[in-house]
Structures are given as structure tokens and as C-alpha cells.
Amino acid sequence: MNDDTRQLLENVRDGKISVEEAVLKLKVKPFEDIGYAKVDTHRTLRQGAAEVIYGAGKTPEQIAGIADAMLRNGQETILITRLSDGSAQEVQKAHPLRYEKNARCGIIGPVPEPDGIGKIVVATGGTSDIPVAEEAAVTASVLGSEVVRLYDVGVAGLHRTLSHLDDIMNASVIIAVAGMEGALTSVIGGLADCPVIGVPTSVGYGASFNGLSALLAMLNSCASGVSVVNIDNGFGAGFLADRINHMNRKREG
Amino acid sequence: MNDDTRQLLENVRDGKISVEEAVLKLKVKPFEDIGYAKVDTHRTLRQGAAEVIYGAGKTPEQIAGIADAMLRNGQETILITRLSDGSAQEVQKAHPLRYEKNARCGIIGPVPEPDGIGKIVVATGGTSDIPVAEEAAVTASVLGSEVVRLYDVGVAGLHRTLSHLDDIMNASVIIAVAGMEGALTSVIGGLADCPVIGVPTSVGYGASFNGLSALLAMLNSCASGVSVVNIDNGFGAGFLADRINHMNRKREG
Amino acid sequence: MNDDTRQLLENVRDGKISVEEAVLKLKVKPFEDIGYAKVDTHRTLRQGAAEVIYGAGKTPEQIAGIADAMLRNGQETILITRLSDGSAQEVQKAHPLRYEKNARCGIIGPVPEPDGIGKIVVATGGTSDIPVAEEAAVTASVLGSEVVRLYDVGVAGLHRTLSHLDDIMNASVIIAVAGMEGALTSVIGGLADCPVIGVPTSVGYGASFNGLSALLAMLNSCASGVSVVNIDNGFGAGFLADRINHMNRKREG
Amino acid sequence: MNDDTRQLLENVRDGKISVEEAVLKLKVKPFEDIGYAKVDTHRTLRQGAAEVIYGAGKTPEQIAGIADAMLRNGQETILITRLSDGSAQEVQKAHPLRYEKNARCGIIGPVPEPDGIGKIVVATGGTSDIPVAEEAAVTASVLGSEVVRLYDVGVAGLHRTLSHLDDIMNASVIIAVAGMEGALTSVIGGLADCPVIGVPTSVGYGASFNGLSALLAMLNSCASGVSVVNIDNGFGAGFLADRINHMNRKREG
Amino acid sequence: MNDDTRQLLENVRDGKISVEEAVLKLKVKPFEDIGYAKVDTHRTLRQGAAEVIYGAGKTPEQIAGIADAMLRNGQETILITRLSDGSAQEVQKAHPLRYEKNARCGIIGPVPEPDGIGKIVVATGGTSDIPVAEEAAVTASVLGSEVVRLYDVGVAGLHRTLSHLDDIMNASVIIAVAGMEGALTSVIGGLADCPVIGVPTSVGYGASFNGLSALLAMLNSCASGVSVVNIDNGFGAGFLADRINHMNRKREG
Amino acid sequence: MNDDTRQLLENVRDGKISVEEAVLKLKVKPFEDIGYAKVDTHRTLRQGAAEVIYGAGKTPEQIAGIADAMLRNGQETILITRLSDGSAQEVQKAHPLRYEKNARCGIIGPVPEPDGIGKIVVATGGTSDIPVAEEAAVTASVLGSEVVRLYDVGVAGLHRTLSHLDDIMNASVIIAVAGMEGALTSVIGGLADCPVIGVPTSVGYGASFNGLSALLAMLNSCASGVSVVNIDNGFGAGFLADRINHMNRKREG
Amino acid sequence: MNDDTRQLLENVRDGKISVEEAVLKLKVKPFEDIGYAKVDTHRTLRQGAAEVIYGAGKTPEQIAGIADAMLRNGQETILITRLSDGSAQEVQKAHPLRYEKNARCGIIGPVPEPDGIGKIVVATGGTSDIPVAEEAAVTASVLGSEVVRLYDVGVAGLHRTLSHLDDIMNASVIIAVAGMEGALTSVIGGLADCPVIGVPTSVGYGASFNGLSALLAMLNSCASGVSVVNIDNGFGAGFLADRINHMNRKREG
Amino acid sequence: MNDDTRQLLENVRDGKISVEEAVLKLKVKPFEDIGYAKVDTHRTLRQGAAEVIYGAGKTPEQIAGIADAMLRNGQETILITRLSDGSAQEVQKAHPLRYEKNARCGIIGPVPEPDGIGKIVVATGGTSDIPVAEEAAVTASVLGSEVVRLYDVGVAGLHRTLSHLDDIMNASVIIAVAGMEGALTSVIGGLADCPVIGVPTSVGYGASFNGLSALLAMLNSCASGVSVVNIDNGFGAGFLADRINHMNRKREG
């Protein structure tokens, strides 16, 4: 319900347009308004934050084109996820893009200064989980959160997990990335007192069933304060973690 | 690492106990310390919040006994989840318990004044999802969050969802509870700009496979900012929502 | 976008209410309008058709109350599905309800004269599938379609299927209800030249996995013109079949 | 039971063939008759409509040969589905084939003037679902239906869906094509008052399990009037939608 | 194509009925004829064999009624499967029924003298598999096969299996009934040189998933000559084993 | 228990070897004896029949070597299954092998004259099922059975199935090969009075789940006399069908 | 190959029985011999250990009868698993049976003095897992192992697990019993240097799918030295743990 | 709790560092200590045993680097699993590595003299299971166990299994490796009196579902003393078998 609607009503009041015309315009508009309204609010709250392009299934030309449009509209920072090395090189011909190889992400424009409530910890069970974790970490960084990486702290070597107890207990949000048996989420969920986001990965073989094992384990976590996103969905976890880490905007807003 | 450890070290310094004795005590203690430390921090941060007893599989006597111990330790408010009507009546003989029938929860002691960042919206797709939603709502309330209930706003009657757009767009956290196709989470996730927690329910029949259908749908939500808890896990969603809604404590703490 | 909106705009035009007030009212209304608009269209098109109450999980008192409200609003015919024998007897104390035991359905008010394009054939593979088939048949009848029942014409006794070839080839829509291997849908789909709706049932044991076997078979039907609804969802099939059988309204409307 | 049978009986009556010979001929024939009878009826009802060749697993030579035979039998329009770009180029050497790349379909001969009851809306949740949607759209067009395409109107951006409310509410049949959580079918099913055909797609990753997630969601849709076809089965949906959109032939026939 | 058809043709030849009438009669009949023809052939081949009533989901009255009709039609022996003890007692009031408690089968009339090629061995892995095995054994016996029972010869005690090597190597057909890991089928399939029918049972717990484990194991048997029926389908195995054991009729017939 | 054992005992009786030596020899032998005994029986019964080499995962050299050994041992006919075109060409350098491309089988030596009870019918639902069907047909032929092929007689075009009613009703054994919904097995099982072996194939897409759909449908067949082998297991079905078709050997043996 | 065989051979040597008779006896015996041989070895190695009766599906009379036979054969100690309270009371009328209610086990006779290599630790994640753990613990005790119980040491409260580090690091074998996410096995597997046996339990709800979640997690454990038994199979774990704990007998034997 | 801790305490006692400093150091250390402590114990117990590098997902450079570090730390023998032929050749440029092609393992340094309790038998059902079996065998050998290989002794040719009865009955531990129906584990588990570790393999097709069939069969084994590791996890089985075979260290340690 934005200024256009008010303008329309004032035009009706002032007899500038007929009731019939107004009915027609209102029939089409409100649903567009919802969208715009949401975008507006969003923009007000998150000034300077990055827009995101989901790169999978898009050609370098399409990605460059979308980025172009965003930049023309005043967007300063753009995050491109699921971007292959080859595509990145193509996009770089059109835009000054920094490519984060591990995360398979490209970034155009400056990364904002972190202004969240605290630090987001991104932890992985093993080294094979790192690409998913990096997608989460880069996403949260580009959206304006400070990120601490704790990689290869799987529960089979519990001393590795515990040697980072300070980071875990001081985190604002924790993203626990693990394949195989996915136990990391429960162990961290039991140690931390902040929201924990489990990201099951497709790392493993045999009865890991491409991440199903880790997914089910995380859903059944006996630790409180834990929720789960899709298998290998590093972006989703990073986005949500940043949103929680920026709950301060909610209050101030 | 609490006062006991410091006391132990002071005793070593002061020659009150031998190094050997200290080694032995330290060998056993640190792991207990982690627990106590955590409980301490927790207590400092969340003064006045409720302790929780998971009622399923416990006899009324056991529940009453645990509550007794908590109360003796100074706990003011206790939440008992998965509590049957019959068990509640038994526990009421020992404690002044209020029973929330829909939520299958019992509460001992005062419910704290809400002091979170904003309001937690608990929405359901249908009326059959209400017991799970109530478990979430009561949990969040007892932990100190204000809760708005939007029940029976399933996406097949989209006008019902949209008629509550204000609540959805102003929420601090949203818990979307739905069985069957679980689409509510995606629709709300697309409208809201706060964290959304999906709770799949076992409501449905046939190919709902006891909640599997809703669970998969929510995990695959195309909306950003969504995460998922176990099927029918109202408590988990309420607990997490409250934790997010109290991110202000993180900053102040 | 109904008369209320037009009235509101006329009031703005006539200066009866301020623009501010109108903005507020419009902010809340349009989403309700969608609903009402849909209901209106629906009512115009389907004058006299039944409203439906899903009886599962509702008390007899709730059902009677909802029916009461519908009747007060001028609804002549009401269909209540998933209604147990016991509940039906309770509802009968408040309303003159006819109970169709096999279909587990109750009907209040007159069943309309059939006015669809043709006849809806409801076929079952075996006798155990009849309750689901009856739910479909009663639903379609009460909504205004003529129904032909072909029960126990499973493909293992193909002569039974083929002895009803005339009914199959002259049908307007066919609902094929089958458990176990669900082959009925393919055989009928291959013989008929009208839309065929497959309803897998949970009839069977062992590797039927409560209807999964029939569901998968129907989804993989090699016959064209076949679609599928949820396991045991007789109502859904009957409702959809009637909607297709009343495509004449679309043209006239 | 066609003219051949009548001729046979007349020959028996006239003593031209013995009863023994007639018994033998009848033993073999009736089942062939069913087939021919069906083809005949079909042809009478749907004069001018396209025949379909399922291209998957056929060599370009086989496809060209089948098309050849059809054309020699007087068929004017032929649709070839699941046709790769390379195969299309081979077939084009033998026939003047138009290749619809997105739909992976080839068309030989003129596309008939639309003569159905109304318009078929083909909607997709995202851009990755477009190939499946195009298969449906091209199929329905070639069979004689007018098609309206609403692509990328997924529920996470509800304003996009709602901005096409007119198309949705005026459609004759709607094909809702979506992967991931498949919520589009429920949202559209709740808005429309025509038959809605859900087509789950294999678009997604992780817990989408190659379309299982969308399939289950659509089968459990809480909206009435919805049915489902196999994962990625654009052809099946287009064929069925056209059949429903040509229910007027049923009445006239 | 039975005598009725010949009679009809003779009537046409003799001018007793018109060609028009004959066309009408033939339009309806042939499909019935298929059925009758099959029943006739069946009866000729298997004179004296039992008819079968599937008792599950039928009332004692229905069972007694069907049996009554069969007996009036000259059937001497009737097998009733899935018959509960209580139902059996009811049926016994109307017919002299012998109840085989373990097999949950009732038999009316004499059991025919065995006249098959050889002996059917029914083997079980454990004692809990016996009810399913008995259903198979009683079925094969009543249909006219000699049955040898080898119960509790599971592979974990291989000496038990091997101590019956003579029976296994001399069998005409073997039915291997096993739950849990279903290995019995492979071991027997490796020892025998006759057809082996695996019957997975729902015996087990946990990861037996109600017979899925045994079903998959039997389908993957590395032994040649093995096929599988549905979980707990003793009747199906007994029927098929008898059919194979009566292949001598094929040659003689 | 072969002549060697008797010889051993005679040697003991005659004092040619000590009891100690005999104990040692007997400790090792009986288990070998089982194997040899079985091979012997087998050879006596099935003189002239083919030996089989499972080609998958074996190099052409290994296959040629095994065939060599078999031929040296007097085997006249050898069947090699799952043999790629390339491997066949390699093996042909060493042996005069005929390669059946559709069946992916190679044959060395003469195919025996059919001497079974009757004809084995191999039927397929569609043309894509033919490779699996050919594996079955070639296997049964090489083992000494006459085979009738009925391809592309799927149930969606029932007249195609029924036009081969004579073949179906006169068959000795029927192998029904079908993917997708696997209904062919039930339809044929309902028409035939001989053993029917269902072979689910991985033909299909989406919810066919690589043959799971057809497998479950066949296991749940409502027709009696049906059993099932593993997905795509043409060899297993052909081997079993031949064994049943040679039940005459059992009697004569 | 026991004394009977030697005796038989001596009788052949001494001319007491003919070669023919010996051939016949040997044809039947060796397979029995395998069994007896095994039992003998077993008895020698494990003198005094308990025999086990699996109580599920057996009547109290059957259990008492089997126990009777065992006792008459000199067995001193008998373990009866899966024994209900009611059945235990019945068996107690015949034998002096001690009933372990939590473990659902009955014991007849003395429990042997522990003589294994070390202590078997039985740990559970929660209190609901205790019945399965007790079945394991009682089994291992009755077979002659010393057992240490660590109950409710789930990983969400890691300090509880770690406070028992000494027990874990000194154990001979560890049985880790857990439902839900089954992470206990990995955590303990990472801390211990002895064999760890995971027992998934059906404790949990929703996406625990009756123990599937814990089962998959344990199978995918990233800790070395871990293996898994069936869901809820406490007996199997206890039996195996005792066998490993008595590897000293292997050396001495 | 190592010397560092004692030193720290002595420093506190001696006043060399303050209590505050000690508190800080202790806060970080104990968790590291757990790790070191475990490594120490491990080293004492298993002097000379190999360290293991999991090669999958590591570059040859990474592998060579890790090996380098291990060798510099005094490790004599290193096992590298899941090592491709190509990677092995790269690593060989840096280290004198022996490559076991079948096992896909590389070994640096001497293989220790076997010093376990007895022999570990590694048995496979078929020849395709050999790579997984070799991974197990090489692992156990390199860790210091003597290994006996029994390959291709699948249960469909039981005489092959039984001809190795001596090996089976004398084994210290048995690793049973099998795909398809996985029956080998049960048969061997029934014959042996030592711990049996089942390794399901992904060998098979169709309903083997990449090893699920064998996995479920092994979990449901009716033989006592059996446990299971992940599909294709030869290393896990070899490691665990060696640990059990070195239980003598436990006693001596």
C-alpha cells in the first residue's frame, strides 16, 4: 500500500479519474504493491547489503546482464553463487569480479563492514565439507556479518571441537556443516547457547545416500536451538545466519 | 572454568593440597566444568526463564520429582512438554500446575513478561496442525516471548494468509506449522523478511507418509531465510524462535 | 474486487470518508476480496451445488455448527466427508442428514439434478476399493454429476473390464480406483478417450506399502490422458471429475 | 464391432462361409476390432488433430519412417516429443520439421486453429522448469488448444503469481509446473476454479531427490481440483489439459 | 468362443435371428466369452481341483454364501484363505469346514489325491515363518500336490538345512519362506536344481522394515532359478508351485 | 556321496589306508562332494544344455579363457550374457562366437533342438523393454526351449495384447517384461493358466525410480500364478522359464 | 567330523558293517556332524556360559519346556530374552527364574564370574534407550563379562559423556546405544581405542523413522573401530561384545 | 592430563606463575590434552603400527605432504586408502610407495610382523567384491594382522563356502564381504564362533539399490556375533578386525 495508492485515491477524491478506472487499476495493483512494498522495506532495513544472483543454470552472459541491471539501479555489491570457474572468467570480462574458488562464489563491489550482533561461526566436520561451508561463509560476509571459520573439527576427534570452545560459546550464530553421520550439529548444539543451523552435505558414500544420513541425523538432533536447511545449501544457511545476526536492525527499525 | 578450579589452584599455591592430588582432581573435573560453566552463563543471560521437562516417557511421579528439585534450586518457572491430560492431573496433586490442553503442556510458576526483540508469529496451514503450533506457542511464551497466533491460514485459501500480511511483515520470527504439502513455509518465507522456522506435521494421509511430504517440501523451500525442525517438533521451533527473538541479550550480555 | 471496493471509492469521491481512512481500509481488504471474489464467481457458476465439510478430526458438534452456519447463509446442500457412523448419528440430532455408510459421507439437503456433459464412471479393481470409490461417487453426485459404478472389474479378470466397454468408451470422465498393482488405470486409460483420474488405494499388504505401489504404477501409466490424486483420496477424484464434467459451465459462463 | 463383423455375419446368413470358418475368424478378430473401433471413434471426434511420436530411444531413421507412414495415411500434423537437437536435424532431411528447442519437440505440418473451451495456462515456479512447461505448452497447442504461458511465478515471490490473477481465474485448465517444494500447484489450485494439473519437475538438489519432494507435495495438495502426472511429464500434462479443454467435443459428439 | 457363439452363428445361418440382432449380441458377448472360455479350459484341465475364496475383508456370511454358490455349481473342494478363527467358527455353522489354524485356512470338501510331477518342499528359516509357510503348504495340498515341510532350517544353523539335502535335491518345486535377511532362498537356490519360489515374510524387527529386507535379498539372489512373490504371500507361492508341479497336465492336455 | 567315497571306504575295509587318513580325507571332501554331486546330477539331467558365463565385469581375455576350459571339458554350447559389442569382437578372435546384439549375448556352439513341454512366450510392454526380453529369449533358447516373442503389446493398447490371445493361452510359461507401471504382468497373468514370470525393467523416468515402480506393481499383482525376478534380470527369467518348461525331465529322470 | 565318524570307519575296517551301510550313513551324517562339531567346540571353549532362548513369539509353556531340556542336558545358566512380565511369571512356576524387568530378560541359574579381557561399557544417549541397553548389559553379564553402565550420557550434554572419560578409555569393548541422531557412537568412537558396537534404537519421533535415522548415522560414523547391529538389537550387541571380550579364550584355546 | 599440566601446577605451587595465568592456561588446554593423551596411549599400545591417510579427495601433493610430516615424526609405516593409480604414481615421485592396485591402497615403509591373536579371514561372495575385500585385507595386514583370503565363496555355491570350513572355524575374526543379497554373512556367522564383520558392497544391479539390499540383509542376520559397517567400507572392517585381533594388547597393556 504505497504512495501510488494514496495518489490514486486522491485522484478519485479530486474527480481526476472515474471510480471505474480506479476499480480497474486497483484490481491489478495490490499484488504488485506487495512485492514492491516488500522490496522497499527490505531496502530501507538493509541499505548497502548485497543482492544475490543464483548462478546455477545461467549463462555467463545472463549473469553479466543481470549484474549490469542491478548496478545501473544503484546496487553496490552483488553476490553470485554456484558460479563455475569458467563462467567466472567470462563474467570478469564484463565486470570487476572477485572469484572465491572454494565457495564457488563471485563478488562484485565492496564487501560491507560487519555490523551484526556478533560473530557467525562456520564449522565443518571434515575438509570435504569446506566448499559448502565457504558458500555459507562468503554469503554471510557479503551480507555484512563477521565470520569465524572452524574447519575440520569433526566429532570423531572431539579435542579438535573442544579446543575451539571459546569461539563456539561466544558465537552469535553457528553454522554446522557436516556430511556422513552429521553429529557435529548435535555436539555443537549441546555446547552453544545461540541458534545453530545444520547444513547436511552430500559428502560420504554408501549408506550416506548423498546426504540423507546427515540430514536425518540433524533433524533428530537432541540439542535444543538447532534447525536444518537443505543438503549442501550453504547459501541458505549463510543467508539465514546473517538475518539472525542482524536482528538488531529489527529492534532499531 | 569456575570458582572451584580457582580455589583448587589457590590451594596448590598455598600448599594446602599436593600437586598429585590436584592432578587427580583436574583429571575428573574439567568436563564437569564445561557443563557447569555453560549452565552458569546460561543462567546469567536468561535470568527468570523457564526450565523445561520433556514429559514423554516419564511417570507423573518422576515429573513431579524433577520439578521439585528444580523449584528447590530456585527455579521459578517450569515448562513440561508432551504431558498427557492424565499425567497432568497427577502432577497437579504435587504442584500448582496449569495445563494447556491443546499444547499438551503444563506450566508451573509465573510466565515471564515478554522482553524479546519483537513478536513471534505462529501460523498453521489447517486446524489439525494446532496442537503442534500450540506446543511452539506455549514454549515461546513461557521462555519470555510475545506470541501472535495465525491459525488455519493455509495457502489453498490464499486470502486468509494475505489478510494477515501486517502480522507476517512485522514479525520478529515466524514459525510456520503445516502438514500435507507444507507450502505455507514457502509462501510465508516469500512474504516475510525475518527468520522463518518450518515445522512439518504428520497431519495428512496416504502420500503424506506421516509428515515426510511436508518435511521435504520445507527443506526445498525456494524462499530464503527458512530452516526446518523435525516433524511435529513444536517445542524445538518455539525454543529456537525464542532464542532468535532474544538476540538482544547477546548484544547486551 | 467487489461492490464494497466500489462503494469505498464512491465514498472517497463523494468526500464521505477521508483518503487516510480509505488507505487503511484498503490495506486490510484486498486480500479478503480475493477470497470473496472467488467465492462469488464460484457461486454464480455452480448455483445449487453443495458445500463440503471435511469431517475428519472434527467433533459432531463442530460439524453441526458449521452446517448450521452454511444453511443460514442459504446453502441448500451440504456434503460431509470422512464422517464416522457414530458422528453421523450425533449430527442427525441437529440436522436431517442422510448417511452413506460405504462412502463414509453424510448429505444434508437435496442432491441436485445432474447437469454435466456426460456420465462419470467410477471403476474399482476389487471389492475392497469400494469405500474409496463410493466417496468419489457420492461427491460427484452431490455436486451435480451422473455417476455410473463399475465395481470389481480388476485387470486380472480382464473379461470383467471388457464387458463394460460401452460404459468406458462413452464416459465423460473416468475415476479408476485400485490398490495393489494399480493396473486398472492403465488398462482403462488405454481404452477410453476421456480424462481418467487414478485413485490409488491403500488396499493390499506387504510390498503394496500402504498404497505406494499403486501410486507409483498410476504415475507411470503408459496411457495418455491419465492423472493421479493422493492415496485413498476419493473426494479429490470425485470433485475433480465433476469439475471436468461441468466444463460446459465454463463455455456458457 | 465394425463393418467387417457385419459382413461376416451376412456371409454366414447367405451361406457364403461355414459356421466353422466364422467361429475361427471371430476368435481372432474382436480384439483387433476394439483397437480399430477406438481409433475410428478417435478419428471422427478429433479430425485434424496431431498424432504423436515419442522420440526418446528412437533413431532419426525410425522417427522419419513412422512419420512417413502417418503422412501417407493422411495425417496432416505430427508432434515428436523428447527429440534432441541432433535428431531433429536428421529428421529434417526427410521432412519439413519445425524444431522447438526449449520444448525438445518437433512439429511436422500445420498447427490447427485453437477450438477448445478456453485457454490453457501453463505456469512454472522458476526458469529451470521451462523445458518441461514448453513440452506441455507445445503439446496442447499442436493438439488444438490456445496456451497462455506464465513462467517464473513461483510462490516465494507471491506478487508475481498474483499479478497474473486474471489469467489464473479465467483459465480453462491450468498446468502448474514446479520442482523443489512444488507449492505452486497448491497456491494456484486455491485461486483457480478450473482443473489444475500439477507437473513435478526434477529441478532442485539435495532433498529434492530428483523431483520426489515436488511430487509428494503436489499429491498432498490441500487445494481441491488438483491432480498430478509423473515427474517431468510435460507431454502427459499437455495432452490431458487439451482433452479437458475439448470436453465440448464430448457434448457435440 | 464357446457353444453359445456357435449357436448364435447357426441361428444366423438358419435365419432364426437377424444380422442386426447378432451384431448387438456379439458386441457384448466376446469379453464375457473370454472369461468363460478360460474358466472352461481351466476346469477341463484341473478337474476336481479346489476353488479359492480370499477370506480377508469378507464377513462369515459372505464367505458362506460364496461357498454355497460354488457347491451348488458342482465344486467339490473349496479353500478359504486368510480366515480368522472366529470367522471359521461362523462358517462352520453353514458348511462342514476343516480349519487349519496355523495356515489360517479353511477347507470344505475332500483334498484331492496328489497327482503332480513330484513333491513340493516348503522350507522356513525360523518358526515364526510357519504361518506363511502353512498357507503355502495347505494351498498346494488342496490343489493336488504332495507337500514336504522343512521348518526352521535357517542358514544360521546350516547343518539343519544340509541335513535335509535329499529332500531339497529331489524336490519338484521348493518354496523358501524366510523373514529377516531372507538368505534361505539363496542357499536352497544354490543346492536345488528345480524352480525355487522365495516368500519374504514380515518376521523381524528394526531394519527388517516389515519384510523389505527379505524381499530385496531374495530379488538379488545370486542363485539361478529363483523368483519371488509378495511379502507374506503364502497362497501365491503355493498356487504357483502347484501350477509348476502340474506342468505334466500341459503336455497331456 | 560319489564313487570316490565308496572307493575310500573300500580302501579302509581292505586296509589300504588307515582310519586316520580316511578321517582326514572325509573332513575335507563331503563339501566338495555336494558340489560335484550337484554338477553330476545336473549334467545327467540336462545333457547337451549350455553352460553360462556372466560377462559383466570380465575382460574378453577372461571370458575367452573360461570358455576355453569349458570346451576342453566337453561342453558343446556356451552362453555369455551381458557381453558388450566390443568384448564380443575380442572373444571372436579366439572362438567362433555368434553375437546377439539386442540381447547383449554371445553364443558358442550349436543351439540345441527344443525339447521342453511347450513354448515359452516372451512379451514386452514397449519397444524399450526389448533388450531385457531378448536376454530372456536367447537364454531360454540356448538352454533348449522354443520361444515365441510378443513385443510391444503393452496394456495401454489392449487390442495388441488381446490379438495374441492364442499364444498367451497356449504358452507353457510366459515371461512378461515391462517397465513403467508394469501392468502387463497382471493382464497376462489374468489371461493365462501357466506360470508367469514378471521382469520389471528400468525403462521409464521420474517416478519409475529406475524400475522400482514396475517391481512393486508386479509383486502386488492380483493375478495368481505370477512371480517376479530382479529389475532387468532377463537371464534369470529365461533360465527359470526353461527350468519350468523342462519339468518333463523331472518326471522322466 | 567327530568320534562317530571314526567309529564308523573302524567298523568298516573291522568288517563290522558293510561298505554299503557306511555309504548310506555317511550320506546323512556329515551335515549333522557340522552342527555337532560346532556345538562341541563351542562347549569346550565356553564351559559354563549360558544358553540363550529368544522369548519373542514363544508361549511360556514352550519356553519352560526348552529350558527344561537344556537343564536336563547339564546346562547351568539360561538367558531368556524378549520375555514379557506376564510370561516370566508363568515360567517362574516351573523354574526358579530371576526377571530383569528393564532388560525384559529372565535368567535361570547362576551368573558366571566375569573372566573376560576387561570391562564392557554400555552407554546410552538418553533414558528412553535404557531397555535396549539393559538387554545388552544383561546378555554380556550372563555370558561372563563384567559390565559398566553409563546411561544418559548423550552428546547434547557433552560434559556428561566426558565426565566418564576414564571408563571409556579403559573399556575392553563399548556398546553405544542411541536413538534420534545416533551421534553417541561417533563421539565415543572418537574417544575410545577399543571396538565400539553401535545399537541404534527406535527412540524418537517424526524423521527418526523408527530408528532409521540413528542407524544411518552410525553406519556413516567417521570414527574408526565402529560397527553396527540392527535397530533395538541389544542382545546382538551384548553377545558380540562378550565374544570380543573373550578373545583371550581364542589364544588359550 | 599430561606432564604440561603437572608442570603448570608445580609452577603455581612454586609461585612461578599466578593463579590468574594458570586459570587462563587451563581454560584452553584440557581439550587439547584429551587429544594428546589419546594419541599417547595409542602409541604405547600399538608401537610400530601404521598411520592411515584417507586418500579420497586429496591431491597427490597433499598426500605426499602429510606422509612427509608423519615420517619426520618417526612413523615407520603409512597406509594410504582410496588411492587412484594416477595419484599413486605421483606420490611415488616423493616416497618409496608400494601400490596395491586391487585394494586401491598405497603403503610406505615396512609391513609389521603379524602379532595378533590369530588369523583374520576375509571372504567374498563373488569376484566383483574383491576390491572392497582387498582394502580390508591390506588394512589389517599393514596394521599387524595375518590375513587369509577366501574369495568367491558365495552361498549359491555352498560347497565352495564349506570347503573352507577349517579356515572359517579357526579364524580369529572374519570379514564377510558381499553385495547382492548379502547372505554370506549369515552363513559364515552361523558356522563361525568368532566375531564376524559384514561389509555390504554396491555390487549388483536393479533392486540391489547400490548395496542397500546387502546392507539390510546383513543387519537382519539371524546369526549371532555379527555386526556391520558401511557399504563398500573395506578399510573400516579391516581396521576393526585388526583391533579385535589385537585384544591381547588390552590384556597385556
Side-chain angles (χ1 to χ4, degrees), chain E residues 190-212:
Chain E
L191 294 171
D193 66 350
C194 67
V196 174
I197 303 167
V199 189
T201 70
S202 53
V203 168
Y205 63 90
S208 82
F209 295 125
N210 301 314
L212 178 63

Side-chain angles (χ1 to χ4, degrees), chain B residues 39-59:
Chain B
V39 169
D40 284 350
T41 312
H42 185 247
R43 195 166 292 154
T44 310
L45 289 177
R46 316 198 59 173
Q47 203 70 42
E51 285 284 344
V52 183
I53 302 172
Y54 182 68
K58 295 202 178 71
T59 63

Side-chain angles (χ1 to χ4, degrees), chain F residues 21-34, chain G residues 1, chain H residues 159 162-166:
Chain F
E21 279 175 295
V23 165
L24 193 67
K25 291 202 174 194
L26 280 170
K27 188 172 176 184
V28 176
K29 289 208 73 198
F31 311 110
E32 294 174 4
D33 287 356
I34 300 169
Chain G
M1 202 53 51
Chain H
H159 60 289
L162 294 177
S163 66
H164 298 286
L165 197 59
D166 270 8

Side-chain angles (χ1 to χ4, degrees), chain B residues 8 32 80 96 131 224:
Chain B
L8 185 74
E32 295 175 1
I80 308 159
S224 297

Side-chain angles (χ1 to χ4, degrees), chain C residues 210-224:
Chain C
N210 300 315
L212 177 63
S213 169
L215 171 63
L216 292 180
M218 289 182 182
L219 284 167
N220 284 286
S221 177
C222 49
S224 297

Side-chain angles (χ1 to χ4, degrees), chain H:
Chain H
M1 199 56 48
N2 59 12
D3 290 352
D4 285 353
T5 306
R6 184 181 306 272
Q7 186 62 51
L8 184 75
L9 287 169
E10 287 170 358
N11 287 348
V12 170
R13 183 193 58 190
D14 302 344
K16 291 185 181 168
I17 67 165
S18 72
V19 165
E20 287 312 303
E21 280 176 294
V23 165
L24 193 66
K25 292 200 172 194
L26 281 171
K27 189 172 175 182
V28 176
K29 291 206 73 197
F31 311 110
E32 295 174 2
D33 288 355
I34 300 168
Y36 286 118
K38 191 183 163 199
V39 169
D40 284 351
T41 312
H42 184 246
R43 195 165 294 155
T44 310
L45 288 176
R46 316 198 57 174
Q47 203 71 40
E51 283 285 343
V52 183
I53 302 173
Y54 182 69
K58 295 202 177 71
T59 65
E61 293 71 33
Q62 290 175 317
I63 293 169
I66 297 170
D68 218 50
M70 287 177 171
L71 294 168
R72 278 199 313 271
N73 279 309
Q75 183 64 35
E76 287 184 17
T77 306
I78 297 169
L79 170 67
I80 308 160
T81 62
R82 304 275 161 116
L83 184 69
S84 71
D85 206 339
S87 287
Q89 290 175 18
E90 289 298 312
V91 177
Q92 278 168 332
K93 295 175 182 169
H95 297 286
L97 175 139
R98 294 186 307 288
Y99 186 59
E100 301 283 345
K101 193 170 183 177
N102 272 342
R104 291 166 301 166
C105 287
I107 306 167
I108 300 173
V111 172
E113 281 302 300
D115 62 346
I117 291 171
K119 296 177 187 172
I120 295 174
V121 166
V122 180
T124 75
T127 53
S128 307
D129 303 315
I130 290 177
V132 174
E134 276 298 307
E135 190 184 90
V138 168
T139 297
S141 295
V142 172
L143 291 171
S145 283
E146 184 176 354
V147 172
V148 176
R149 288 161 171 86
L150 301 182
Y151 289 170
D152 197 19
V153 296
V155 299
L158 202 57
H159 60 289
R160 294 179 299 177
T161 321
L162 294 177
S163 66
H164 298 286
L165 197 59
D166 270 8
D167 288 321
I168 291 169
M169 294 189 67
N170 290 329
S172 172
V173 189
I174 302 178
I175 298 172
V177 183
M180 299 171 78
E181 84 272 58
L184 184 66
T185 306
S186 290
V187 169
I188 285 184
L191 294 171
D193 66 348
C194 68
V196 175
I197 303 168
V199 189
T201 72
S202 53
V203 169
Y205 62 91
S208 83
F209 295 125
N210 301 314
L212 178 62
S213 169
L215 171 62
L216 292 181
M218 289 181 182
L219 284 167
N220 284 286
S221 176
C222 50
S224 297
V226 172
S227 63
V228 186
V229 297
N230 195 4
I231 297 164
D232 290 336
N233 189 6
F235 166 72
F239 185 95
L240 175 58
D242 173 76
R243 191 171 265 185
I244 295 171
N245 193 37
H246 278 108
M247 290 295 288
N248 49 348
R249 289 174 183 150
K250 271 283 168 187
R251 200 169 218 181
E252 294 156 2

